[in-house]
Amino acid sequence: ELPPSEFMQVADSTWLVLSVVSNGRAPSGCQATGVTKIARSVIAPLAEHHVSVLMLSTYQTDFILVRERDLPVVIHTLAGEFDIYKEESGECVPVTCDDVSNGFLKPKPAASPTLHPVQSPQTRFCVLTVAPDTLPAIATMLIDVLFYSHSPPREAGADSQDLDSITFFAFSLIEGYISIVMDAETQKRFPSDLLLTSSTGELWRMVRIGGQPLGFDECGIVAQIAEPLAAADISAYYISTFNFDHALV
């Protein structure tokens, strides 16, 4: 519904959303898994088959976005280990490889992955949620933080290895569930009784991947980060953006 604009840059591809749950036969009542728990079973196999993914962690669950044109490869890659369902008219319908009409692309020969620089700013972050009925109470503050409180974007490549702090604020509203990532200083501006977090109230540190904007054609970026973290049994909150990837630990 957004009008064409010279100020808006849109990626060429249309993306589909995958969510991985612990019991695919009961999507509405099962517990979602974390990004590092699906590193070997989902993210690594898709990278091996040259499927580019966008990763979006939320307070409630994790979502993997794949390009619509890659769906045949995704289904064939994951069907051996997962029961795959698609949503039709609000119902979850089983999907089989036979449902894919435009064929299966065999994986290309493995190429050496690009090793991107990573940065770890000193900023400490909070992962939060908010009850939807309390959103109006913080709406003005949200607008101020989202649109008026940010410093100008840092020039790409400038002081990329000496990044002390980073301006990062993520807000998502998915099926009525709200997730917010903000730095600990920004959190102090909000009413503390309206922001909900885990019982431990842990703060998070960020690893940002990419010295230059990454684009959407390269595969294996999420796998390079998620697999080592999974091997070390480290939980991560992962957010892909238009330019860079961000892993919070």
Side-chain angles (χ1 to χ4, degrees), residues 194-225:
L194 298 182
L195 301 179
L196 308 176
T197 185
S198 64
S199 57
T200 59
E202 287 181 311
L203 294 177
W204 299 67
R205 289 285 299 275
M206 175 183 288
V207 174
R208 188 175 81 169
I209 301 95
Q212 300 288 337
L214 298 171
F216 301 111
D217 293 324
E218 188 179 342
C219 307
I221 298 172
V222 180
Q224 283 186 41
I225 301 298

Side-chain angles (χ1 to χ4, degrees), residues 18-37:
L18 308 177
S19 58
V20 182
V21 294
S22 58
N23 181 1
R25 301 188 182 281
S28 60
C30 51
Q31 177 149 3
T33 60
V35 59
T36 49
K37 293 182 180 178

Side-chain angles (χ1 to χ4, degrees), residues 124-125 234 247:
R124 300 155 80 209
F125 293 93
I234 297 174

Side-chain angles (χ1 to χ4, degrees), residues 111-130:
S112 299
T114 301
L115 296 178
H116 292 281
V118 297
Q119 303 160 355
S120 182
Q122 297 300 311
T123 313
R124 300 155 80 209
F125 293 93
C126 310
V127 177
L128 310 155
T129 187
V130 111

